[in-house]
Amino acid sequence: GTASDNFKVTLTILGACSIDANDLDFGTNTGAITPAIDAQSNLQVTCTNGTPYSIGLNNGVGSGATASVRKMTNASDSSTVNYSLYTTAARTSVWDNNCTTLPGTAATCVSGTGSGSAQTLQVFGRVAASQPNVTVGQYVDTVIATLTF
């Protein structure tokens, strides 16, 4: 005689992601900031194929900074230069950490789905115009990009 039974063969693939953020450099300027100064940078996101993700950007470390008015600080005298980060080249949607949506509101971060390969996302920056009497020196801020998956 013979006897038989079946068994399942399984494999679970977990989502995994990594992020690499490149610096954003607004270059060099002389005197008052007029007109606005635009620049852009890239984020490289690599997620397992089919993994949904979102990326939020915090307000940076400048004193009194918000998502819509971030602040680069001059180390020599603590003066600041205002700037903003946006999700599109039109610079109409500020990029912040709000990756959840409530009824009647829109998320202000960037979301996507992993492909298994690196995906390039652009960060669009603008230094606000009409900032007179800017002190000479180098202005710096540090923004944290948070990848949630």
Side-chain angles (χ1 to χ4, degrees):
T2 62
S4 63
D5 195 6
N6 57 18
F7 61 96
K8 292 181 181 180
V9 178
T10 64
L11 170 66
T12 301
I13 304 292
L14 298 177
C17 294
S18 64
I19 186 170
D20 182 28
N22 295 311
D23 293 343
L24 190 150
D25 185 353
F26 286 107
T28 302
N29 193 60
T30 58
I33 299 171
T34 301
I37 303 168
D38 289 344
Q40 64 190 48
S41 181
N42 294 320
L43 301 174
Q44 293 283 330
V45 176
T46 305
C47 289
T48 307
N49 192 20
T51 303
Y53 65 83
S54 62
I55 301 169
L57 303 179
N58 77 348
N59 295 344
V61 297
S63 178
T66 65
S68 57
V69 182
R70 291 175 166 96
K71 296 180 179 288
M72 290 180 279
T73 304
N74 184 334
S76 66
D77 68 357
S78 298
S79 60
T80 60
V81 168
N82 297 335
Y83 74 101
S84 297
L85 300 175
Y86 299 91
T87 61
T88 63
R91 291 169 172 81
T92 54
S93 181
V94 172
W95 194 336
D96 72 14
N97 267 336
N98 180 18
C99 294
T100 59
T101 56
L102 300 172
T105 65
T108 51
C109 67
V110 173
S111 299
T113 301
S115 65
S117 299
Q119 296 172 308
T120 301
L121 304 171
Q122 292 184 308
V123 178
F124 299 93
R126 174 171 285 162
V127 173
S130 301
Q131 295 186 63
N133 303 319
V134 178
T135 305
V136 171
Q138 183 177 25
Y139 291 79
V140 178
D141 191 17
T142 301
V143 174
I144 298 172
T146 301
L147 173 64
T148 303
F149 59 95

